[in-house]
Amino acid sequence: MRAAVRALVAAAAAAAVAAPAVVSTSTAAWREDEWVHGLTATSSLRCGQDEGFTATSAGRFLSGSLLGTDLDPVAALQGVRLVRAADGTLTVTPPTAIDPGSPAPTATRLNPLTASALNVVGLNLTGLGVGLPAGSAGALNQYAQVSGHGTAAGAAGLVNDSGGVQVTPTTPSDQLPGPAYVSLGTLLPAITNLADTQLRVGAVASSAQLDGCADLRALLWGDGTATGAVRSYGVADVGLRTSSPVLGQLVQAVNATVGTLQTNLGTLGGTSGPIAAAIRTGLLGQLGAGLSLAPLSGTVTVTTPDVAGAVAPLLTAPLTDGVVTLNLSSGVIDVDLDALLGYAPGALSSQPPNTEVVLSATVLNPLLTRVGALLDTWTGQVVQALLTAVRSATVTVDLTTTVAASATVPVTGPVTVNVAGVRVQLTAPVGAILDSAAGTAVPPTAAVTVTATGLTGTLVNTVLGVLGLSLSSITGALNGSGAALLGLVAPVLRTALVVPVTTLGATLATLSGTLVTALSSLVAVLPSVVSLMLNVQPDRPGAPPSEPYTAGTATSTPEYRVTALRLGLARYTSSADVAHVRFATSTAGPVGAP
């Protein structure tokens, strides 16, 4: 471009040498608004006044190819393009583009897309129509403007009807629409416990503006640097979404344990339940040979806390650290890729031209750490909620029985007689019983009270005498058996109420590890499948070689093109590019001289 311009200036200088001596050969002698057109004639170049410029501009939200589908000819995705001839003739593509009205010699056209009407293989744009602020021109707006004065402008994406970009580093999240999703399923290998992996693309926008007259004057009489072009872009966010049945299995495991706890709480009570059986075993352990125990009577009850309600909020609320979100209800895993990769809020919209968003195992590995930490924290919360619930259940025991002695009495023969009455009482929360039995509650906050009352009489004394026992030894042993009985009740409660919870904790840890393993497989292959580039400008260093643009000539500016986000996709089995999707591409120029 600059070589052509230098040739033009050289030709002008040569012509000046052949002119009368009063005309200087220096380019500085040219008036600022004069130039040579076609190398032969001098005309006045008055920016903002002359109307003989040709101009081209365009705006297109989506272009490229996706999974074998060329998006460029897809009618539903057609952008808007304006071409102005030197005589003012205007070519509008598509002809149905909306004319919002502009004062001559300026022409403006809009061709907004309807996300819900689009049906492109592997691409879901419907989210971009959701959550837009009132009065928005739409997340899929497409804009083009040209003028006979030599100006051109194109815009695409979340832009207003004047072509202004509405995605900036400071745009509030409530002023942005929902995202679009690009399916990666056919590009990735089958990964156990993962499905429906998609790339999430938030609101995007771009704008290219060109004062072609100023551009040409800078090239001809300035330092050779074009000054008339301004390009801007915005990308709200980029993310990754996948789903896993493991999240549902976590919930199922919790619900199964809740069911087990509810069943166990309902079967602990009663005179034939495990608590009563433990107490009876403890009492029998205090009796010597020849003594027996009658069936227990009375009550054993265990209140039933709302175990399901204790964990219900934990099974429905998403788990998130602001970067990774795990939705237990739907099984969806959503990752804010820009935050994961270290971009500050809004930073995606302020990168230099042709910035590559580097995806590698190194930068993606924190995803595994974050998921593991979220699930570890959640597992701890579930376990603690269940333990708190079951420990709050109150155990109430009020049992009575009698101790009988049996012996063969001389003359009378075999005799059995009741020698003592026993009453066992306990009222305490499960947690207090467990802590007291374990010695962690000092002083003990739960105790079993045993009241044994001896029965007197000649026959009682005779039978006990034959057995070599005293009534005081029997009642003394029973009255001192409270701690032993507590020690037998506690394991019953622990087995029924604590062990299922600790077993659940181990199960949840195993499932969490399964999910992290699945995600590690995704992290390993994703960098070979997806590439991202921001602020793509084909005429600037670092641009993908396949990006087209029109170079300038001696009498026209270049085309100034900008794409907000370029997505490159390849199959994991090959590095060959199978898709390159451009989001929000705007072009301004070329602008040709009168």
Side-chain angles (χ1 to χ4, degrees):
M1 172 65 186
R2 291 187 182 180
V5 172
R6 293 190 186 101
L8 177 62
V9 174
V17 171
V22 295
V23 180
S24 172
T25 60
S26 169
T27 57
W30 290 87
R31 289 208 327 268
E32 187 182 37
D33 60 355
E34 292 181 341
W35 75 310
V36 175
H37 184 199
L39 306 181
T40 58
T42 300
S43 62
S44 176
L45 185 61
R46 296 168 299 179
C47 293
Q49 300 181 47
D50 292 337
E51 299 182 7
F53 291 88
T54 63
T56 301
S57 67
R60 178 159 183 153
F61 178 77
L62 198 67
S63 63
S65 65
L66 181 61
L67 305 179
T69 299
D70 185 358
L71 302 180
D72 293 343
V74 176
L77 300 178
Q78 192 171 40
V80 61
R81 179 179 176 86
L82 293 181
V83 178
R84 186 189 190 280
D87 62 0
T89 302
L90 191 68
T91 302
V92 181
T93 307
T96 56
I98 301 169
D99 182 1
S102 298
T106 299
T108 305
R109 294 293 186 273
L110 301 173
N111 186 28
L113 302 179
T114 303
S116 60
L118 301 178
N119 183 19
V120 181
V121 176
L123 183 60
N124 179 0
L125 299 176
T126 54
L128 289 170
V130 178
L132 286 167
S136 171
L140 305 180
N141 202 16
Q142 300 175 127
Y143 169 97
Q145 184 181 83
V146 292
S147 169
H149 292 311
T151 62
L158 187 58
V159 296
N160 58 31
D161 282 346
S162 299
V165 171
Q166 293 182 292
V167 184
T168 70
T170 58
T171 302
S173 58
D174 61 359
Q175 295 293 302
L176 296 172
Y181 290 94
V182 181
S183 176
L184 304 178
T186 59
L187 304 175
L188 296 168
I191 299 176
T192 303
N193 291 314
L194 287 185
D196 194 28
T197 301
Q198 300 175 321
L199 190 71
R200 175 168 53 83
V201 179
V204 293
S206 71
S207 171
Q209 301 177 20
L210 173 63
D211 184 342
C213 179
D215 205 34
L216 289 168
R217 288 170 62 169
L219 287 169
L220 288 169
W221 293 287
D223 61 1
T225 302
T227 59
V230 177
R231 287 177 278 193
S232 60
Y233 81 101
V235 177
D237 70 286
V238 179
L240 185 70
R241 185 172 76 173
T242 187
S243 60
S244 175
V246 174
L247 293 179
Q249 293 167 13
L250 291 167
V251 175
Q252 292 168 11
V254 175
N255 286 332
T257 299
V258 167
T260 298
L261 293 173
Q262 290 173 329
T263 298
N264 291 351
L265 284 165
T267 58
L268 284 171
T271 56
S272 59
I275 293 176
I279 290 174
R280 180 176 177 81
T281 299
L283 292 175
L284 287 171
Q286 305 302 316
L287 303 179
L291 299 178
S292 61
L293 198 65
L296 299 176
S297 61
T299 59
V300 176
T301 61
V302 180
T303 60
T304 304
D306 185 5
V307 180
V311 293
L314 295 172
L315 302 184
T316 55
L319 313 181
T320 184
D321 61 2
V323 176
V324 178
T325 300
L326 309 178
N327 192 313
L328 298 173
S329 300
S330 65
V332 170
I333 302 165
D334 194 89
V335 183
D336 189 342
L337 272 181
D338 44 301
L340 181 69
L341 301 179
Y343 287 91
L348 290 183
S349 298
S350 57
Q351 298 301 307
N354 304 315
T355 295
E356 183 178 4
V357 179
V358 177
L359 295 180
S360 67
T362 300
V363 298
L364 291 176
N365 274 333
L367 167 63
L368 309 180
T369 304
R370 288 178 176 274
V371 170
L374 284 173
L375 291 177
D376 286 348
T377 299
W378 177 78
T379 296
Q381 292 171 338
V382 168
V383 168
Q384 187 58 52
L386 291 177
L387 287 177
T388 299
V390 297
R391 284 171 61 89
S392 70
T394 299
V395 178
T396 301
V397 176
D398 192 354
L399 296 172
T400 59
T401 186
T402 56
V403 178
S406 299
T408 300
V409 177
V411 179
T412 305
V415 175
T416 297
V417 62
N418 292 335
V419 297
V422 182
R423 186 178 184 183
V424 179
Q425 294 174 296
L426 168 65
T427 301
V430 168
I433 294 172
L434 297 176
D435 294 343
S436 294
T440 57
V442 180
T445 55
V448 176
T449 301
V450 181
T451 304
T453 304
L455 304 176
T456 59
T458 301
L459 187 56
V460 169
N461 293 333
T462 300
V463 171
L464 292 178
V466 171
L467 296 174
L469 299 173
S470 67
L471 191 59
S472 60
S473 66
I474 295 173
T475 57
L478 291 170
N479 287 330
S481 65
L485 296 184
L486 190 71
L488 293 174
V489 170
V492 171
L493 298 176
R494 187 177 298 109
T495 299
L497 304 178
V498 176
V499 171
V501 178
T502 55
T503 300
L504 171 65
T507 299
L508 297 180
T510 299
L511 288 172
S512 299
T514 299
L515 179 57
V516 170
T517 298
L519 289 172
S520 67
S521 297
L522 178 61
V523 165
V525 72
L526 195 64
S528 64
V529 173
V530 176
S531 68
L532 301 169
M533 186 169 282
L534 302 169
N535 193 15
V536 178
Q537 299 185 22
D539 57 312
R540 304 290 291 274
S546 60
E547 291 300 293
Y549 84 103
T550 303
T553 70
T555 58
S556 67
T557 72
E559 170 192 50
Y560 292 93
R561 175 186 290 257
V562 57
T563 296
L565 175 66
R566 184 187 190 275
L567 169 62
L569 299 174
R571 297 191 190 280
Y572 77 100
T573 54
S574 170
S575 60
D577 182 32
V578 298
H580 51 279
V581 183
R582 305 179 192 93
F583 289 92
T585 298
S586 303
T587 62
V591 169

